[in-house]
Amino acid sequence: MKEYFRFLWRCFRLSLVGDWRYMTWMTVLTVISLLGLNAYAKQFVLGLATTGMTDQVSWGMYIANFTFLVGMAAAAVMLVIPVYVYRNRELHDLVIFGELLAVASICMCLAFIVVDMGRPDRMLHLFERFHFPVSILTWDVIVLNGYLLLNLHICGYLIYCKYRKRTPSRSFYIPFVFLAIVWAISIHTVTAFLYVGLGGRPFWNSAIIAPRFLASAFAAGPAFLILALGVIDRFTRYEVPARAMDTLRRIVTVSLIINLFMLGSEVFTELYADSAHSVSLKYLLFGLHGYDALVPWIWTAIVLESLALLCFLTPLGHQRTAMMIACTAIVFGIWVEKGMGLIIPAFVPSPLGEVVEYVPTLNEALVCFGIWAFGLLLFTIFVRITIPVLSGRLTFDREYDPNEDLEPAAAASETLSGQAARG
Amino acid sequence: MRLLISATFFLLAGWFLMYSGAGALPQFERQHVDPASIAPVPRRAILRDPAKVTIGGIEQRCSACHAIFPSTQDAPAARLQHTEIVLEHGLNDRCDNCHDKGDHDGFVLYGGRVVGFDDVQLLCAKCHGPTFRDWERGVHGKTLGSWVVGSDAQRRLLCTECHDPHHPAFTPYVPLPGPHTLRQHATERHADEHDHEAYNPLRHWRTEAEDAPEEGAH
Amino acid sequence: MSQTQSNASRMDGPGYSRRSFLRNGVAMAGGMAAFVAALRPLAELGEGALPSMDEFLQKHYKEMNEQEMQAALARIEAKVKERWDVDAEVRDVRPRDGVEFVYALNLSRCIGCRKCVHACVAENNQSRAPEIQYIRVLEMPTGTLDIEQGDHDYDHPTVPDAGHYYMPIQCHQCADPPCTKVCPVEATWTEDDGITVVDYDWCIGCRYCEAACPYFARRFNFAEPEIAAEELNTQMSYLSNRPRSKGVMEKCTFCLHRTREGRQPACLEVCPVGARQFGNVRDPESSVSQILETKRVFVLKEDVGTLPRFFYYFDERYPRSGETAVEEG
């Protein structure tokens, strides 16, 4: 037990040291997080009128980001399947990165929910009167927190075992891993059902929403993971096997094809019949009664996703730089498609046909950036700890020098500057 | 490096302390509505039995004058008195359709029976049968006080408490202010499209005159 | 623990100079300072913004016993006194036995004057800034029942306007409400007399019910509601018109503080043309029962399956009279 606390202390200290790039990145993220915290403090004092939400559009950026991030968390399982189901040992270590991304994403999701609540001080009411199983929101509370605990356990156990140079006991994590595969699908399905179950919003009340959620999640999540692994590959001594990037790329490609197909399917369904039910989709794609704030966003997203898909379908997609650009385009495109393309149009027009457009305020945007920065901060810290442990350099029985994990050139410059500073 | 980081944090802390109070929300527009316009009172104040009017400073019953002065047989056209009354009651264009020629304190029903102001609904029922039957059941008109049928607190308004008997059609009202919700006009409309009637089945059969102000680009 | 290990974590170990310690310490202090300073706006929280211990421990409406309810009512009266310096009477008005409310609205009569909207605002202590109105009157073009074609912002010199009819929409107190299904904490539910109510002290402000409602009936307090003391209606009840705080939902409650005591709702009493009828549908003699029997009633969005208690009907025999020379009202 004492050893475990020592491990945690060492992790804490480790997260505070690194080369100048690491420190700059962490400082920038911290500053943005604090700006977000400050903006939230203002919102806490003044109420949700500091956001751009209204009675007509009562869910905005916060829920949009929440939806996207639940997808990202679910996508961590995409690495678990090839490793554990298809016994691909090479990618074993990467499962942990995926699950750490899931943990960071779920933390961000929970943060977005808290900032969206009108009375967060009444959160305990969830425990006192829990409207399960009728309210899908209660299902969401259970599955999200369960998923968080599941992943914390799996990663925590595997990393700590590596740190202690023990072989992990299979019964302590294999069943949980398989549970996590199913659970990951469930978190995003339940989140989709939050929207699908509302008969009063025809834009959401469609069976395709849940599969579309999963398809877009399995495109955006691995794409983000490719970006993260690319950064790890470039800036640390950890070498990401090309096979891993390849597997992820293939997953992204297939998921993107399915996602774009479903999008096309929805567009055809709504627009061919031209009934009054398609008014929300018309608002999104073409504008409604002269209101067209979302139109440039959704078309940019569609174009970006299509171009990224083309890139991946050609040999160009094997090149590292092109792949990074394409993945950025995918993450951004799906963020727009899920957030602005899915949450906001359901509120325009209102159930009584009123069009009130939603524009996030600066305060709201700061809170969103703050939570994203905090999530990235968490993920960076997790990676910062995991790489030395996985590479065997940070274990319970030896001292650890951070310079060991940097690229040789960077390490040299660090020791020089470090010596100069200390000298 | 560490110094730079410390400096950044302290500067940020200073900035927060100096400039970041909670601030204030934008001023929300307040609409003012005259409380008199939403008072739950009957539209019209009516005479009750025994009905009296004030003429020359003295309260008198209608029969006080009408017992002395004969009324014209050709009312309302050849009136000398009560000329301020404009009679616009559809087919009902004679005063003596309602006012009894013999007893000017009351109203005449079919068969010559005379009733007072307190039973004016029977007068209206002469011609407005279906509406009267609806009124009897509480379906037409207004009930103040209580929804409990037969309770003492119920106050069924008589016909004339809403309808001016000489001019029963309601005159137009000035509408009270519409909604001014948060950020209702957060963005601008970029085109003045009015395709409200896009799915209106009647749009093909309206006259051009009606259509003209509303027809959009559809 | 080996010697080298303990060296690494000891502050006076070989890798740790005093300058390094200071720099680390200062950076940490800077971080802490920035964190605390970021919370500066919280210093401006008003007195009533955070719940008192009693409020925090207050139970759900359905679980409070008589004593706890009286304590809660007393708390609310005290708060009203403190904020507006006005003596209010807050009661817990219970449903009557054998009563199920239904509302009927005659679309042939409504002229769109919006008196009902503002009478409701006055009766239910709704926020004036930002404005909250439970009732929304739609100006509909004749020939369609599609409420998406309604105009909410009509502003003619006089109403009714030719070629239009008017449809006021408020909470329909549905018999199968989607809003009560989705609330994660059961802060909203349907009472025995059919009214869907909100426990303002239990709501967590997630706005899922607002997303679920097909009729745009629910309102959220995005900011602290603002009412002037002279505008306050001091006859209040726990589940309906007592003042709400920011961050909670609210909606039309068929004026249950009035109707459960036999009185008419405020919107009905102010309607100048008698378009509204209200009563107990279990009483066959009531006007609403008669209307359901004899008039061709319909409900909005019937296909969504919410079973509203709000029925609309037309009973025109001839077109409404137009402009007249005599000005009234």
Side-chain angles (χ1 to χ4, degrees):
Chain A
M1 199 70 233
K2 196 165 154 191
E3 196 55 51
Y4 187 66
F5 283 122
R6 205 174 138 257
F7 165 67
L8 289 176
W9 170 246
R10 288 183 80 184
C11 289
F12 171 69
R13 283 194 60 195
L14 180 55
S15 64
L16 295 175
V17 301
D19 73 334
W20 69 270
R21 283 171 298 207
Y22 176 81
M23 297 306 273
T24 314
W25 171 247
M26 296 294 270
T27 309
V28 166
L29 287 180
T30 309
V31 166
I32 299 177
S33 304
L34 288 175
L35 284 170
L37 182 66
N38 180 251
Y40 179 65
K42 285 189 196 166
Q43 182 188 292
F44 190 81
V45 172
L46 295 174
L48 281 156
T50 54
T51 68
M53 293 189 273
T54 57
D55 277 318
Q56 291 86 351
V57 186
S58 51
W59 277 346
M61 276 275 96
Y62 295 153
I63 298 294
N65 276 305
F66 162 77
T67 312
F68 177 75
L69 287 166
V70 173
M72 285 255 277
V77 81
M78 280 287 100
L79 280 177
V80 173
I81 292 177
V83 170
Y84 285 94
V85 177
Y86 294 106
R87 309 285 169 97
N88 186 339
R89 291 281 165 225
E90 238 186 75
L91 308 181
H92 189 277
D93 283 348
L94 294 168
V95 168
I96 298 192
F97 287 124
E99 290 183 347
L100 289 171
L101 177 61
V103 170
S105 299
I106 294 282
C107 289
M108 282 197 265
C109 289
L110 296 175
F112 272 117
I113 291 295
V114 170
V115 302
D116 186 60
M117 278 168 73
R119 293 296 303 246
D121 55 305
R122 292 183 183 169
M123 210 157 351
L124 293 180
H125 288 183
L126 274 168
F127 295 103
E128 293 166 62
R129 258 190 111 90
F130 199 54
H131 200 192
F132 181 85
V134 179
S135 167
I136 304 291
L137 207 53
T138 54
W139 285 77
D140 220 21
V141 168
I142 294 173
V143 296
L144 284 180
N145 287 295
Y147 191 67
L148 177 64
L149 291 173
L150 206 55
N151 280 303
L152 276 174
H153 166 73
I154 297 173
C155 303
Y157 182 68
L158 288 175
I159 293 176
Y160 189 60
C161 281
K162 195 79 195 255
Y163 171 81
R164 290 298 299 270
K165 286 184 164 169
R166 289 184 194 149
T167 325
S169 156
R170 291 180 69 82
S171 61
F172 261 39
Y173 76 100
I174 295 288
F176 294 102
V177 165
F178 281 95
L179 184 60
I181 296 177
V182 176
W183 204 285
I185 311 279
S186 85
I187 61 169
H188 216 17
T189 309
V190 169
T191 306
F193 283 175
L194 276 180
Y195 309 121
V196 169
L198 302 182
R201 306 248 173 217
F203 182 70
W204 280 340
N205 195 213
S206 150
I208 206 176
I209 301 281
R212 239 187 101 189
F213 263 40
L214 287 166
S216 56
F218 295 152
F224 191 88
L225 212 46
I226 290 176
L227 290 173
L229 291 174
V231 167
I232 290 173
D233 197 41
R234 170 100 166 70
F235 293 109
T236 73
R237 250 163 90 160
Y238 189 88
E239 270 180 37
V240 178
R243 183 98 184 269
M245 298 298 239
D246 228 38
T247 311
L248 287 171
R249 190 179 42 81
R250 267 188 245 125
I251 293 170
V252 171
T253 312
V254 172
S255 304
L256 204 50
I257 293 173
I258 297 175
N259 187 41
L260 284 170
F261 172 73
M262 287 192 192
L263 176 63
S265 167
E266 263 198 296
V267 169
F268 174 80
T269 312
E270 298 286 5
L271 296 185
Y272 185 76
D274 197 26
S275 77
H277 280 293
S278 61
V279 66
S280 288
L281 190 68
K282 284 210 190 117
Y283 166 69
L284 176 64
L285 292 173
F286 308 119
L288 189 69
H289 302 326
Y291 292 102
D292 57 8
L294 289 184
V295 174
W297 288 91
I298 189 66
W299 285 107
T300 310
I302 293 174
V303 163
L304 282 176
E305 284 180 43
S306 309
L307 287 177
L309 180 62
L310 278 174
C311 171
F312 279 152
L313 288 173
T314 61
L316 185 61
H318 292 263
Q319 262 189 49
R320 183 56 68 93
T321 326
M323 188 159 64
M324 292 293 143
I325 296 176
C327 283
T328 315
I330 291 171
V331 171
F332 179 73
I334 291 182
W335 181 84
V336 168
E337 191 199 310
K338 249 177 164 157
M340 297 183 209
L342 195 106
I343 305 299
I344 310 299
F347 294 97
V348 181
S350 78
L352 298 186
E354 192 185 2
V355 178
V356 173
E357 282 197 300
Y358 166 74
V359 180
T361 58
L362 175 64
N363 214 61
E364 199 175 358
L366 279 175
V367 175
C368 292
F369 282 126
I371 294 177
W372 268 95
F374 178 69
L376 288 173
L377 201 63
L378 278 181
F379 185 58
T380 312
I381 293 176
F382 293 152
V383 169
R384 181 81 185 87
I385 297 166
T386 308
I387 291 177
V389 170
L390 287 183
S391 62
R393 283 187 278 269
L394 176 62
T395 57
F396 77 108
D397 59 356
R398 75 195 279 271
E399 217 177 290
Y400 171 69
D401 179 6
N403 295 334
E404 283 181 42
D405 264 322
L406 299 173
E407 292 290 299
S413 74
E414 168 62 30
T415 24
L416 279 173
S417 63
Q419 278 175 2
R422 284 191 286 270
Chain B
M1 187 79 217
R2 298 269 154 85
L3 276 176
L4 205 55
I5 295 175
S6 310
T8 313
F9 284 140
F10 278 114
L11 272 174
L12 189 62
W15 187 82
F16 280 145
L17 287 173
M18 288 205 350
Y19 293 114
S20 134
L25 290 167
Q27 281 286 29
F28 300 116
E29 206 187 303
R30 256 177 161 276
Q31 292 179 25
H32 178 70
V33 170
D34 180 13
S37 67
I38 52 171
V41 293
R43 271 189 95 229
R44 305 180 71 245
I46 60 170
L47 294 171
R48 295 283 192 168
D49 292 324
K52 294 198 170 100
V53 288
T54 312
I55 298 178
I58 311 169
E59 264 203 347
Q60 310 183 33
R61 303 213 67 196
C62 309
S63 49
C65 284
H66 286 276
I68 305 170
F69 302 104
S71 312
T72 170
Q73 292 303 305
D74 190 15
R79 279 173 297 171
L80 297 171
Q81 302 295 326
H82 304 301
T83 46
E84 73 282 0
I85 295 176
V86 178
L87 184 59
E88 271 185 29
H89 198 137
L91 290 175
N92 184 359
D93 57 1
R94 291 185 61 88
C95 305
D96 52 16
N97 283 333
C98 296
H99 294 279
D100 187 53
K101 282 190 275 211
D103 177 3
H104 285 81
D105 287 327
F107 306 107
V108 61
L109 303 183
Y110 289 133
R113 178 174 152 217
V114 175
V115 292
F117 282 79
D118 286 348
D119 296 309
V120 72
Q121 70 275 9
L122 298 176
L123 169 67
C124 308
K126 264 167 78 170
C127 300
H128 300 286
T131 307
F132 172 69
R133 283 189 284 283
D134 273 348
W135 179 86
E136 278 191 304
R137 287 178 301 185
V139 171
H140 182 98
K142 198 158 132 181
T143 309
L144 294 176
S146 173
W147 51 265
V148 181
V149 176
S151 114
D152 289 335
Q154 269 207 326
R155 185 174 158 208
R156 294 278 307 132
L157 296 190
L158 298 181
C159 317
T160 45
E161 291 190 88
C162 287
H163 299 277
D164 179 345
H166 304 119
H167 185 277
F170 288 145
T171 49
Y173 278 79
V174 178
L176 293 182
H180 281 78
T181 56
L182 276 180
R183 302 176 212 287
Q184 214 175 350
H185 305 290
T187 56
E188 281 178 30
R189 290 167 75 124
H190 290 123
D192 211 7
E193 289 169 41
H194 277 281
D195 56 348
H196 285 286
E197 311 220 328
Y199 299 105
N200 186 338
L202 273 190
R203 79 183 189 280
H204 292 300
W205 293 282
R206 283 184 190 278
T207 61
E208 237 176 345
E210 267 183 28
D211 254 352
E214 282 155 337
E215 197 168 63
H218 191 83
Chain C
M1 238 200 302
S2 72
Q3 193 59 27
T4 40
Q5 250 185 313
S6 57
N7 276 348
S9 45
R10 278 174 58 192
M11 296 237 229
D12 54 332
Y16 217 82
S17 72
R18 193 195 313 176
R19 217 180 275 164
S20 203
F21 167 71
L22 272 175
R23 266 197 223 109
N24 281 342
V26 167
M28 293 281 290
M32 290 282 114
F35 176 78
V36 172
L39 298 172
R40 157 99 172 68
L42 295 181
E44 290 175 35
L45 274 175
E47 256 189 50
L50 289 175
S52 67
M53 187 47 76
D54 284 330
E55 281 169 27
F56 188 73
L57 295 173
Q58 185 176 313
K59 296 194 187 135
H60 188 272
Y61 176 83
K62 287 189 185 169
E63 287 173 19
M64 282 199 268
N65 61 29
E66 184 60 40
Q67 213 182 359
E68 287 162 338
M69 174 51 79
Q70 291 306 319
L73 297 176
R75 265 201 295 281
I76 297 170
E77 284 172 3
K79 268 191 139 172
V80 171
K81 182 76 184 173
E82 194 191 314
R83 182 156 167 204
W84 287 283
D85 198 23
V86 156
D87 289 309
E89 194 198 325
V90 187
R91 294 160 297 145
D92 175 31
V93 189
R94 295 276 166 167
R96 287 187 170 196
D97 282 329
V99 170
E100 231 184 285
F101 291 123
V102 154
Y103 214 123
L105 199 131
N106 191 339
L107 291 172
S108 297
R109 307 262 166 258
C110 179
I111 52 169
C113 65
R114 294 194 181 114
K115 285 184 195 249
C116 52
V117 176
H118 293 278
C120 167
V121 169
E123 176 71 24
N124 287 297
N125 291 323
Q126 292 165 40
S127 171
R128 306 304 200 264
E131 169 199 278
I132 290 186
Q133 292 171 351
Y134 295 158
I135 304 177
R136 210 28 108 82
V137 183
L138 268 59
E139 183 182 66
M140 302 282 295
T142 50
T144 178
L145 284 177
D146 180 9
I147 56 183
E148 302 227 343
Q149 297 189 42
D151 185 2
H152 300 232
D153 298 315
Y154 65 91
D155 187 20
H156 308 288
T158 57
V159 284
D161 190 56
H164 293 103
Y165 67 95
Y166 296 88
M167 184 185 277
I169 303 184
Q170 61 211 70
C171 176
H172 290 354
Q173 321 290 351
C174 307
D176 185 12
C179 57
T180 56
K181 259 197 280 192
V182 297
C183 178
V185 291
E186 286 185 74
T188 182
W189 67 93
T190 308
E191 296 251 288
D192 289 334
D193 56 357
I195 303 183
T196 307
V197 295
V198 178
D199 183 350
Y200 308 120
D201 290 334
W202 199 256
C203 175
I204 59 173
C206 69
R207 304 187 301 293
Y208 197 7
C209 57
E210 194 166 18
C213 177
Y215 304 107
F216 189 60
R218 303 189 73 113
R219 301 285 181 270
F220 182 70
N221 284 289
F222 285 93
E224 191 67 36
E226 199 199 291
I227 323 169
E230 58 270 13
E231 290 168 328
L232 214 54
N233 175 6
T234 55
Q235 294 298 308
M236 305 174 183
S237 112
Y238 183 89
L239 287 176
S240 65
N241 66 338
R242 48 111 161 196
R244 282 73 69 185
S245 70
K246 72 177 191 299
V248 297
M249 299 298 303
E250 56 181 79
K251 66 178 194 60
C252 162
T253 54
F254 278 2
C255 283
L256 61 81
H257 53 283
R258 294 168 64 124
T259 55
R260 285 181 173 176
E261 294 186 341
R263 298 168 60 197
Q264 297 275 42
C267 46
L268 186 152
E269 291 213 330
V270 81
C271 177
V273 297
R276 292 168 170 270
Q277 299 294 347
F278 179 84
N280 177 11
V281 74
R282 299 223 196 128
D283 176 4
E285 303 291 312
S286 67
S287 56
V288 287
S289 296
Q290 305 277 351
I291 289 171
L292 295 187
E293 283 286 316
T294 58
K295 303 291 182 185
R296 299 284 76 76
V297 295
F298 65 92
V299 295
L300 294 181
K301 303 200 186 189
E302 189 173 343
D303 47 314
V304 181
T306 52
L307 304 179
R309 287 175 190 284
F310 207 98
F311 294 89
Y312 295 93
Y313 62 100
F314 293 95
D315 71 351
E316 273 161 85
R317 278 178 227 100
Y318 35 79
R320 190 159 45 196
S321 311
E323 315 294 317
T324 54
V326 181
E327 288 290 349
E328 261 191 345

